[in-house]
Amino acid sequence: MFKKLRFKASVVLVQTLLVLPPIILITLFIMLWARGSLMTQLDTSRRYSLQTVGNSFDQVYERTLDLLNVPFLNRTILSILTTQYSDNPKDKIQKNADQQLVNTLLSDIVLFNEPNITSLTVFSEISGSVYYNWRYPTLNINIHNSDWDNLIDSQWYKSIAHVNEPVVSHAKENDFFIGGGIIISFSQRLWRLVADQHIGAIRVDMDLTTFQNSWRHIAENPSDVFLVLDQDHQLVFSSNSDFNDTFPPLSTIDISTLHEYRVNSYVAELSGFTFVYLTYVATTQSYLRFLYAPLLAVIASWIIYTVIFIFWSSRHVSLPIQKLKTAMIQGQEKDLTARCEPLQGEMGQLSEAFNDLIVRLNDMMDDVALAEQEKAQLTYEVLLSKFSPHFLYNTLNAIRFKAELTGAQESAGALKSLASMLQFSIKYTEVTISFQNELEQLEHYVNIMRIRYGDEIDIVYDIDAECFQYICLKFLIQPAVENCFIHSFADMPNKEHKQICVRVICLSDHIRVSVEDNGKGMTQKQIDELLSENLNQNTNMRSGIGVSNVKQRLFATFGDNCKYYIESEPGLYTRVTAVIPKIKAQERNGFSDEIIDGG
C-alpha cells in the first residue's frame, strides 16, 4: 500500500513538473512579447508622427532659405540696392520713394506668401539704407537696439560679413523688433558676381511661435510632453507648462538625462531641429496593466485546469503503469513467458507492445540459433572457394611442366605467365602495389599476348628506375595495354610497324604513367564512351577490367591528387595517361602497407 501511494505521489510530481513549467514559460513569453509588441507599436506610431512634423518643418525651413535669393530674383530691388544716392533734395526724395517701393515689394513677394515669416530686412551697403517689413502691425523697430542706426557696424552684420554661404542663427528672442517672439534668422551677404562687389545683406526672420498652434495638439495625453529643440539643443517649444517650470524656453536640454520618461525623438535632416515625444514611465505601466489583466486571468485558468488534469490523469495512469511495471520486472528476470494483461487507452497499446516484444524475443532466440548454423556453413563454403583457385594454379603448373618435357617451350612460358598472374590475383588483394610488381605482372600479360600476336607488335619500355620505390594502383597499366592489343591495331593488317610504348616518368611531386600506340586512333566521342562509367555492359569496346574501371578506382584511391585522360588522333596514335602522387611504400597512409615481391 505504501509503495502504491509513493508511486502515485511520484506520478503527480512528475506530471506537475512536466506541465506547469512549460505553461509558466509560455505565459511569460506571451507577456514579454505582448509588452514588446505594444511598446514597439507605440514607438513606431510616435516616431512616424515626429518624422511627419519634422519633414513639414523642414519644408518651411527650405522655403525660408530660398527667400535669401529674393534681391537677385527681383530686378527692381537689385537696382535700388546698387544705387548710390547723393545729398541733393531730389536724390533724397527718390531714396524715400525707393525705400517705400522695396518695403512694398518685400511685403508682396515674401510676407504675403509665407505666413511663417515675421519680418524681412535688407541692408544696402552702397547707400547705407535699411529696407524692412514686418507682418504684425504691433511690431515696432527696436529703438533700444543701437545697431539699427548703423547696421554696417552691428554684431549681426559682422557675423556674416565674410561668409558667402547662408548663416542660420540658433533660436533667440527677436533683436530687431519689439514683441517679435522666438525667431530663427536666416542671413546672407549680398554679392554681385559680375562686378565682384559686396552690395549689402539680407535677413529673414522665421517666427517659431507660428508653429505652436499645430505643435500644441501632438501630445496624446496630458502627462505626455512634446518638445522642439533647435540645432543647439535649446528648448523652442514645450506642450506642457509644468515642464517649462523646470526647463524655461531657450534653455539647453540633454534628452538622455530624462530618465523618468520614455523618449522618442527625430532629428530633421535639413534644419537639424530635434522633435521629441516624452511619455511618463508610469503612463507606460498603465498601458501594460490593461494588457496584463487578461493574461493573468488566462494563467489562473491554466493552473486550475492543470491541477484537475494532474489528479485525474494520475488516477487513471498510475494503476495501469503499475501492472505494466510488474510484467516488465518479470521479463527482466529472463522469464520469456511473462505477459501483461490487456489495458485501456494508450496504456493498452503499451501492454500490447510489451507482449509483442516478448514474442519477438522468443523468435530472435530461434533466429540466433539458426544464424549460428548458417555461419558455420558459410565458413565451410569460403574454405571451398579458396581451395578451387589454388587447385587451378597447381593444375596449370603441372601442365607447364608437361609442356617443358615435350619441348613446347613457348606454351610452357605462356602457362608460367598465366600461373603467375593467377597466383598474383589469389595471394594479393590490396588496392595498391609497388611499381616493380605492377610492371612484372604486365610482362607476364605481354608474354601471354605474344602467343596470339607473335612479334607483330613491338613493346617498348621507358621506365624511370626511381619509380620502383613508390606505389601505384593495382592493374593500372595492363587494361590500357590490353586495349592496344585488341582494338588499336584491329582492321590494320597491312601496317608495317606496330608499336606500344609504356612510359613511367618520375617528376618533382608526382609520377606520370602513359601507354601510347601508333594504331588507328579514336574520335572524341569514342574517348568519352570509353571513359564512361556506364560502359560496363559494352563488351565491343573493351575487355577485362577496362579503362573506365581504372579511372574510377584511381580517383577512389587517390582522390583529387590524380589525373586520368586519353589523347588520340584518328589514324595516328592513342595515348592513355595517368598522373598519381609520389607515395613511398613505407610512408603511405590510408593504403595497404604490404609490398608485393615478384617471383
Side-chain angles (χ1 to χ4, degrees):
M1 183 66 180
F2 177 74
K3 289 184 178 180
K4 289 184 178 180
L5 291 176
R6 186 174 64 179
F7 179 74
K8 290 181 179 180
S10 63
V11 171
V12 171
L13 179 62
V14 168
Q15 290 180 331
T16 303
L17 294 177
L18 288 176
V19 176
L20 279 182
I23 292 177
I24 295 174
L25 290 175
I26 292 173
T27 305
L28 290 176
F29 172 78
I30 294 175
M31 293 176 67
L32 292 175
W33 173 83
R35 180 183 185 279
S37 178
L38 176 62
M39 292 297 99
T40 300
Q41 291 179 5
L42 287 175
D43 291 342
T44 302
S45 174
R46 286 166 182 171
R47 279 196 295 268
Y48 177 77
S49 299
L50 294 176
Q51 185 176 359
T52 302
V53 174
N55 293 340
S56 176
F57 181 80
D58 266 4
Q59 292 176 1
V60 178
Y61 188 94
E62 185 176 16
R63 292 201 305 270
T64 306
L65 280 174
D66 293 339
L67 293 178
L68 298 177
N69 297 318
V70 167
F72 296 100
L73 299 176
N74 187 284
R75 292 185 177 182
T76 302
I77 295 177
L78 182 61
S79 175
I80 295 173
L81 290 178
T82 56
T83 300
Q84 180 68 49
Y85 299 98
S86 64
D87 293 333
N88 62 66
K90 290 185 178 181
D91 276 1
K92 289 183 178 180
I93 295 174
Q94 184 63 40
K95 180 179 179 180
N96 291 333
D98 288 345
Q99 185 167 355
Q100 292 178 2
L101 177 59
V102 171
N103 291 342
T104 301
L105 290 173
L106 293 178
S107 176
D108 293 342
I109 297 173
V110 178
L111 298 183
F112 181 80
N113 297 308
E114 294 293 339
N116 298 293
I117 304 303
T118 185
S119 62
L120 189 146
T121 304
V122 180
F123 169 65
S124 173
E125 188 174 328
I126 296 175
S127 64
S129 300
V130 180
Y131 309 93
Y132 56 88
N133 211 325
W134 58 89
R135 177 172 302 281
Y136 305 108
T138 56
L139 295 178
N140 295 314
I141 298 174
N142 190 350
I143 58 175
H144 301 291
N145 189 338
S146 59
D147 292 341
W148 185 261
D149 296 329
N150 187 10
L151 283 184
I152 198 169
D153 293 328
S154 67
Q155 188 65 33
W156 162 74
Y157 192 74
K158 290 179 180 179
S159 66
I160 66 171
H162 303 289
V163 182
N164 293 327
E165 300 295 330
V167 177
V168 182
S169 72
H170 55 72
K172 61 182 179 180
E173 293 287 346
N174 197 323
D175 56 344
F176 273 7
F177 299 92
I178 298 175
I182 299 177
I183 65 166
I184 299 176
S185 62
F186 298 77
S187 306
Q188 184 171 349
R189 182 75 179 269
L190 299 179
W191 183 34
R192 294 188 69 184
L193 293 176
V194 177
D196 192 18
Q197 178 186 19
H198 293 287
I199 61 176
I202 180 173
R203 168 172 160 170
V204 181
D205 293 335
M206 184 172 69
D207 186 6
L208 295 181
T209 58
T210 59
F211 295 92
Q212 293 181 356
N213 292 332
S214 60
W215 290 348
R216 204 177 302 278
H217 304 289
I218 292 179
E220 299 175 1
N221 300 291
S223 59
D224 295 346
V225 184
F226 174 71
L227 305 178
V228 181
L229 308 178
D230 71 355
Q231 63 270 35
D232 295 325
H233 299 286
Q234 293 185 127
L235 179 62
V236 173
F237 172 78
S238 170
S239 64
N240 191 301
S241 58
D242 294 335
F243 191 87
N244 287 336
D245 295 337
T246 306
F247 298 98
L250 299 183
S251 60
T252 303
I253 297 179
D254 183 3
I255 60 175
S256 64
T257 62
L258 305 176
H259 302 297
E260 66 272 25
Y261 296 98
R262 184 178 183 87
V263 180
N264 294 106
S265 63
Y266 173 75
V267 179
E269 294 182 4
L270 183 60
S271 63
F273 272 46
T274 303
F275 299 85
V276 185
Y277 196 104
L278 302 178
T279 307
Y280 262 117
V281 175
T283 305
T284 304
Q285 297 298 329
S286 65
Y287 291 151
L288 297 177
R289 280 195 292 272
F290 287 106
L291 175 68
Y292 289 160
L295 289 177
L296 291 175
V298 172
I299 293 175
S301 301
W302 270 106
I303 292 176
I304 294 173
Y305 168 78
T306 303
V307 171
I308 296 174
F309 171 77
I310 288 174
F311 280 99
W312 174 85
S313 61
S314 63
R315 181 177 179 182
H316 288 78
V317 171
S318 59
L319 183 60
I321 290 179
Q322 186 66 35
K323 294 180 179 179
L324 182 60
K325 178 183 176 182
T326 301
M328 293 177 67
I329 292 175
Q330 185 179 358
Q332 189 178 7
E333 295 176 352
K334 300 181 181 180
D335 183 4
L336 297 182
T337 62
R339 297 291 186 275
C340 180
E341 66 179 81
L343 302 175
Q344 300 296 323
E346 294 182 354
M347 295 304 299
Q349 297 178 4
L350 291 175
S351 64
E352 292 177 1
F354 172 77
N355 292 336
D356 184 61
L357 177 63
I358 295 297
V359 172
R360 293 193 179 199
L361 284 174
N362 282 317
D363 295 339
M364 289 176 63
M365 295 291 289
D366 297 336
D367 292 341
V368 168
L370 180 61
E372 290 295 330
Q373 295 177 0
E374 293 178 349
K375 182 179 178 181
Q377 181 64 26
L378 286 174
T379 302
Y380 174 73
E381 292 177 357
V382 168
L383 292 175
L384 289 178
S385 67
K386 289 184 177 181
F387 171 77
S388 297
H390 282 288
F391 174 77
L392 179 59
Y393 168 71
N394 294 329
T395 303
L396 286 174
N397 274 331
I399 297 173
R400 177 174 65 88
F401 292 139
K402 184 66 174 177
E404 289 177 348
L405 292 175
T406 59
Q409 297 297 328
E410 185 177 12
S411 298
L415 289 171
K416 180 180 179 181
S417 295
L418 181 59
S420 297
M421 293 183 68
L422 181 60
Q423 183 187 33
F424 175 77
S425 299
I426 295 172
K427 185 176 181 181
Y428 303 109
T429 59
E430 305 299 333
V431 176
T432 59
I433 60 173
S434 69
F435 268 101
Q436 179 181 352
N437 289 311
E438 177 70 9
L439 293 170
E440 288 178 355
Q441 297 309 310
L442 176 64
E443 184 64 26
H444 289 311
Y445 173 77
V446 171
N447 290 337
I448 295 173
M449 298 304 290
R450 294 270 186 215
I451 298 297
R452 176 178 177 182
Y453 296 98
D455 295 329
E456 180 184 348
I457 301 174
D458 292 335
I459 304 293
V460 179
Y461 295 95
D462 182 7
I463 309 298
D464 191 340
E466 183 187 350
C467 75
F468 293 134
Q469 58 182 315
Y470 299 107
I471 64 170
C472 74
L473 185 72
K474 184 178 179 181
F475 292 120
L476 173 64
I477 306 175
Q478 182 265 331
V481 174
E482 179 181 0
N483 278 332
C484 293
F485 275 108
I486 298 176
H487 300 293
S488 294
F489 300 108
D491 303 326
M492 298 182 67
N494 299 324
K495 188 175 181 67
E496 294 181 359
H497 181 63
K498 302 177 182 178
Q499 179 177 288
I500 301 172
C501 181
V502 179
R503 289 189 180 89
V504 180
I505 302 174
C506 291
L507 301 175
S508 59
D509 58 351
H510 60 272
I511 301 174
R512 180 177 288 116
V513 181
S514 64
V515 177
E516 182 176 351
D517 64 71
N518 60 350
K520 63 183 179 181
M522 291 186 292
T523 63
Q524 186 60 45
K525 180 179 180 181
Q526 289 175 315
I527 293 175
D528 294 339
E529 291 177 352
L530 188 62
L531 292 175
S532 173
E533 295 182 1
N534 299 323
L535 193 62
N536 296 331
Q537 303 301 323
N538 192 345
T539 57
N540 294 327
M541 289 295 298
R542 65 176 181 85
S543 61
I545 296 176
V547 294
S548 64
N549 178 275
V550 174
K551 179 181 178 182
Q552 295 176 25
R553 292 189 300 115
L554 192 67
F555 281 93
T557 303
F558 297 104
D560 295 334
N561 295 324
C562 65
K563 297 179 182 179
Y564 194 83
Y565 54 92
I566 298 176
E567 302 168 282
S568 184
E569 287 289 339
L572 296 178
Y573 74 95
T574 299
R575 181 167 54 248
V576 180
T577 304
V579 179
I580 63 175
K582 295 173 71 173
I583 302 174
K584 291 186 177 182
Q586 62 272 24
E587 295 177 354
R588 55 186 170 175
N589 188 13
F591 306 101
S592 170
D593 290 332
E594 183 175 4
I595 305 298
I596 303 175
D597 297 328

